[in-house]
Each structure stands twice: as structure tokens, then as C-alpha cells.
Amino acid sequence: MQSVDWLWLLHPALAVVLVYPLLGMVLRLAQQTRDRRLTQAKHPPTVGRDHADLGKWLAGSVVAIVLLAEAVVIATKHPISSFEGGSSRLALMVMVLIGSGVALAALWRVKQPPYRASFALLCWAGVIGLGLQPEVFRLSDNPLDPVFWQSHFWGGVGLTGLMLFSVACRPEIHKHLRWRRLHVSANALAAVIFLAQGISGPRDLLEIPLSWQKPAVYACDFQAQRCPTLAPSPAP
């Protein structure tokens, strides 16, 4: 494996090592928080706060890993010296990446609802804007196409939006039953998407060849599932 191949492994490795263990803890604390509120179960009084704090870290980790994956794909698709669009487009992509990171950091700190909503939308817009670049592979951009709903990329975009929504609405979730119910519904959907991402991610890894294998693999006809016949190796 070359260095570029290790860069491509950062996204799935961080997801396995960081995101999914956090997801398990957040789901467990969510169940304990709900039990304590509804059935007066004898869970520690800190479970609600721990659930909110770890949920915030889970959301931040998801957004950061998605941004990292998009940055790696865009930067390694072609050599930087022959980057499509030249230095001006490269500078724009870097600005969008940095701006998305700044918006995420600001979302963690601001208190007023308009600011929280604005920074969440700005961060999500940055994720979508980077993901729609031609270097980023997507099965389809048409929601009417069945493969659109099997896309690891669009699943990640939807998951990112749900995570940002949970962070942006955290104070309202604590105060209002209606927001709490919306939070539960949104995160039930997020749990389903996490499961789907755990399946589509390994599927996509199987389809991505190592950098030195790409010329041979991409010479194949993927529709017919046939590769050109290789010339016999010369006799030693």
C-alpha cells in the first residue's frame, strides 16, 4: 500500500474506532434517560447530561470524519499540480473546508437559536458543496433512482444533517416535549442510517482498488462485468 491508500483508510478506520463505539454509548444512555424519566428507573441522575454530552461528541465526530473523507478524495483524485480548475478552485475548496470546520466549532459555542440554526446550516451546506464536486464518487444524484438510496455518500450527507440538527436544537430538546419527540424520531432515523452506512461502507471498500491497481481495474467493463484479457507474461 502507498501513502495515498492509507489516507483513503482514515475515514473508515475512524468510523470503526471512534464513531460506532460512541454510537453504542449514546444509544445506551438514551434508553436509560428515557427509562428514568418515564418509569422512574433507578439510573444515576447524570445519565441525561452524559447522553447529551456524548451525543454532541458523536455529532462532531461524524461531521469531522465526513469532511475529512471529502477532503482526501478531492485532494488525491489527481495530482495537485494538475488539479482540475487550477489554484483558484483549489483555494475555494480549502476555504469551504475551513469554513465548515469553523461553523462546526461555532455551533458548539453559540447560545442564541438563530446563530445555532445558521451555523448548523452553514456547516451542512459546506459538507454538501464539497461532496458534490466531480472528484467525489456518488452512485446517483437522482432521488427517483433506486441506487440513490443505496449510496454511502448520500447516507452520510443525511446523517450529517441529522447530527447537526440534534446539536443545534439541544436547549429546545431539554425544555419542550414537542422538540424531544422530534429529537427521538430524528435519531431513530439516524440509527437506521448508521446501520445502512455500516453495510454500504464495506461494500464500497471492496470496489475501491489500491492506487497501483487502478489502471488495470478501471480498464474493465463494469456493466458487462468483464475485464480485458491480459497479455501472457514473457518467459524468464
Side-chain angles (χ1 to χ4, degrees):
M1 289 179 61
Q2 300 178 354
S3 57
V4 66
D5 301 313
W6 289 106
L7 284 175
W8 277 64
L9 280 181
L10 280 177
H11 170 72
L14 289 172
V16 171
V17 173
L18 180 61
V19 170
Y20 280 90
L22 272 175
L23 174 64
M25 290 186 283
V26 169
L27 291 176
R28 175 60 176 164
L29 289 168
Q31 184 62 51
Q32 291 181 343
T33 302
R34 184 173 176 80
D35 290 345
R36 191 173 189 275
R37 182 183 298 116
L38 298 181
T39 66
Q40 304 299 313
K42 294 182 179 180
H43 295 303
T46 58
V47 292
R49 183 184 63 198
D50 293 342
H51 167 66
D53 290 343
L54 282 178
K56 191 175 180 180
W57 280 103
L58 173 64
S61 300
V62 169
V63 178
I65 290 173
V66 170
L67 287 172
L68 172 65
E70 292 175 341
V72 168
V73 170
I74 293 173
T76 59
K77 185 72 172 181
H78 303 289
I80 297 297
S81 58
S82 58
F83 188 76
E84 184 179 349
S87 58
S88 58
R89 178 170 176 261
L90 178 60
L92 178 61
M93 294 297 99
V94 172
M95 289 175 61
V96 172
L97 178 64
I98 294 174
S100 301
V102 170
L104 177 62
L107 175 60
W108 277 43
R109 301 185 64 86
V110 296
K111 304 297 183 183
Q112 296 300 319
Y115 294 148
R116 285 186 271 117
S118 298
F119 284 121
L121 288 173
L122 282 173
C123 184
W124 197 33
V127 170
I128 296 173
L130 288 173
L132 291 178
Q133 300 307 306
E135 292 86 356
V136 180
F137 173 75
R138 304 180 297 279
L139 291 177
S140 174
D141 291 334
N142 181 9
L144 299 179
D145 190 343
V147 297
F148 173 89
W149 302 101
Q150 305 170 29
S151 173
H152 187 75
F153 167 77
W154 284 113
V157 168
L159 193 57
T160 301
L162 291 172
M163 294 293 100
L164 290 169
F165 167 78
S166 294
V167 176
C169 299
R170 180 177 175 180
E172 286 74 20
I173 293 168
H174 290 165
K175 296 176 183 177
H176 305 293
L177 179 60
R178 182 183 301 175
W179 281 96
R180 195 174 301 131
R181 288 173 176 169
L182 183 59
H183 169 68
V184 171
S185 301
N187 284 278
L189 175 59
V192 174
I193 298 177
F194 269 117
L195 174 62
Q197 293 297 93
I199 298 171
S200 62
R203 177 205 64 195
D204 287 359
L205 282 177
L206 286 174
E207 297 179 355
I208 300 174
L210 296 176
S211 55
W212 63 271
Q213 298 171 336
K214 288 181 178 179
V217 172
Y218 290 157
C220 298
D221 184 342
F222 290 92
Q223 296 297 326
Q225 297 185 357
R226 184 171 56 248
C227 291
T229 304
L230 299 178
S233 301

